[in-house]
Amino acid sequence: MSMMKKNIALAFLLALSSQGQLEAQAGTKTQADAKISARTVAMHRRLLTLDTHLDTPIHFTRPGWDFADRHRLASDPSQVDLPRMKRGALDGGFFVIYTPQGARTPEATAKARDHALVRAVEIHEMAARLHDKVALATRADDAERIAAQGKIIVYQSIENAYPLSGDLGLLDSFYALGVRMIGPVHFRNNDFGDSSTDPNGPEYHGLSPLGRELVARANALGIMLDASHASDDVLDQLLDLSKAPIILSHSGCEGVYDHPRNVDDPRLKRLADKGGVIQINSFGAYLAATGPNPERDAALLKLNQQYGDHHAMTPHDTAQFVAARAAILRRYPGFERSYAQFEAHLIHALRVLGLDHVGIGLDWDGGGGVIGMADVTAIPRITQTLLDAGYSEGDIAKIWGGNVLRVMKAVEAVAATDNKSGG
Ligand SMILES: [Zn+2]
């Protein structure tokens, strides 16, 4: 087993857990009880729909797993693949190059760099192999054109800039590979700045000097800055420093549930004032509290440890893992959050910010998913919710993609101006 494969297996396992707290996966979530009219489905299919945080590349190198195949929640933890995107009418989104935060040493940073570069190559390999069904996109204008060809739109983003901490010049390399969004941090502080969830608290009280360089270089290149996972101070400083609007690619509202990963209303308003957008996620632990259940947590931990010994799960092991996990969650119910709890964040953001500053980033394959919306096939339910809340087709088109493309265009315009002025 190569180190790279090991890292990928580890990343996969990390996706199944979070902050030491074990996350809900799709095993027991059902697509229960959603009343979605034929009119809604037809409208949903007409819209250009983008999700700004798809962790699906985490599955690309799993043995026997293919993005072109349809997978089932009963036997596989993945939530997005090509057939299911077609079924749910998700036209595309940002495919994430995610790197777990590791040690901040030159050796570990070099490994992280290799991991991220390989992940970008894997996304390119997928797009090349399936070129009649998907297309890589780098500009806001690409989305409509690719959708009109009936292909899936594949933008690329980086979650956690840690792989770049040894050499910020790599940002230019990732730009050349097509990356158009970057979030400086993940669960822990790194050389770029503070995370919202580092158990040791803030280190820089915002961005580090390197983090400030990242902002300037991202602006100059035309890469969107993503404040999901960043501390409030980092978000404030991104809003101060960035010449272009910024994005929260997968976040929630502190006004609904007080969690460090969620953002308070005054900050959301500042984000909107600067032209930015919050993309609402469906990551259970950030949506609502659940009561403590030590037996369940112990059972999930034991299961993860048992399978964590595997370097890369075979389809057979994966199916056993998913079934065992579902059995634990059935035995100790109340862990998985509901669609209504997701919806509360979406409606709150719309109420506070208006419809020009809210979108969708469900964190599929990164811990997202709720009871009633367990994989990408269920997303027409969001369109139904928005229709029921009184939004028009034009409004809903903004929420499903228009807003993020507007932010992308603004980012492109800032880069063009930067380059013209010889910056
Ligand atoms: Zn994330």
Side-chain angles (χ1 to χ4, degrees), residues 159-174:
E159 180 174 39
N160 196 5
Y162 167 52
L164 286 66
S165 40
D167 177 7
L168 186 56
L170 279 168
L171 191 61
D172 292 52
S173 310
F174 279 106

Side-chain angles (χ1 to χ4, degrees), residues 53-386:
H53 198 81
L54 301 169
D55 271 313
T56 309
I58 212 163
H59 296 295
F60 283 1
T61 51
R62 281 177 47 211
W65 198 93
D66 190 327
F67 185 63
D69 293 342
R70 171 143 193 179
H71 303 84
R72 308 212 172 261
L73 291 172
S75 58
D76 192 89
S78 69
Q79 295 166 301
V80 175
D81 52 42
L82 220 148
R84 283 184 289 177
M85 284 181 83
K86 288 284 174 199
R87 177 79 196 272
L90 180 68
D91 294 317
F94 282 80
F95 286 66
V96 179
I97 298 164
Y98 162 66
T99 309
Q101 184 62 47
R104 289 156 68 181
T105 60
E107 297 74 23
T109 300
K111 267 183 203 155
R113 172 201 65 198
D114 295 352
H115 164 83
L117 285 166
V118 168
R119 184 51 47 87
V121 169
E122 287 161 5
I123 295 170
H124 281 251
E125 282 177 339
M126 180 279 287
R129 190 165 54 83
L130 304 175
H131 60 89
D132 53 337
K133 298 190 184 83
V134 313
L136 291 173
T138 57
R139 297 187 60 84
D141 286 344
D142 291 341
E144 282 285 0
R145 179 180 54 77
I146 292 168
Q149 296 167 354
K151 295 183 184 178
I152 296 289
I153 305 149
V154 178
Y155 289 109
Q156 296 167 78
S157 63
I158 287 178
E159 180 174 39
N160 196 5
Y162 167 52
L164 286 66
S165 40
D167 177 7
L168 186 56
L170 279 168
L171 191 61
D172 292 52
S173 310
F174 279 106
Y175 179 85
L177 284 165
V179 169
R180 292 297 181 268
M181 190 200 299
I182 188 164
V185 293
H186 193 243
F187 287 154
R188 290 183 174 252
N189 302 338
N190 65 18
D191 292 351
F192 292 93
D194 295 337
S195 165
S196 61
T197 52
D198 194 303
N200 298 320
E203 183 174 331
Y204 306 97
H205 296 277
L207 291 162
S208 70
L210 187 65
R212 288 163 185 269
E213 278 182 54
L214 174 75
V215 174
R217 194 62 200 145
N219 278 171
L221 286 167
I223 296 179
M224 261 190 294
L225 288 156
D226 177 8
S228 284
H229 289 289
S231 72
D232 286 346
D233 287 338
V234 168
L235 171 55
D236 290 342
Q237 290 167 21
L238 288 173
L239 289 167
D240 289 339
L241 289 171
S242 176
K243 291 189 247 172
I246 69 165
I247 187 170
L248 290 158
S249 72
H250 59 302
S251 287
C253 303
E254 201 174 291
V256 176
Y257 176 46
D258 189 3
H259 186 285
R261 269 289 274 115
N262 294 333
V263 180
D264 60 50
D265 290 351
R267 284 194 169 83
L268 289 178
K269 283 180 187 156
R270 260 195 87 207
L271 174 89
D273 287 345
K274 294 248 169 181
V277 65
I278 176 173
Q279 309 283 107
I280 303 298
N281 75 22
S282 67
F283 190 107
Y286 309 153
L287 297 178
T290 59
N293 191 326
E295 288 106 340
R296 176 195 62 213
D297 292 350
L300 289 171
L301 187 65
K302 194 173 152 222
L303 180 73
N304 266 21
Q305 281 167 346
Q306 184 189 338
Y307 282 87
D309 292 332
H310 292 247
H311 299 312
M313 287 192 213
T314 63
H316 175 77
D317 286 349
T318 301
Q320 288 203 326
F321 173 81
V322 167
R325 197 165 191 288
I328 292 169
L329 294 180
R330 270 197 306 275
R331 191 162 162 208
Y332 307 106
F335 180 67
E336 294 170 300
R337 274 61 159 192
S338 68
Y339 180 82
Q341 287 169 325
F342 157 76
E343 189 182 61
H345 287 261
L346 178 62
I347 296 299
H348 179 88
L350 285 163
R351 212 169 276 149
V352 172
L353 303 178
L355 64 93
D356 289 325
H357 303 283
V358 181
I360 306 294
L362 296 171
D363 208 358
W364 292 133
D365 296 321
V370 289
I371 296 168
M373 187 174 70
D375 72 7
V376 69
T377 62
I379 62 165
R381 189 165 186 185
I382 295 174
T383 299
Q384 184 69 59
T385 292
L386 294 169

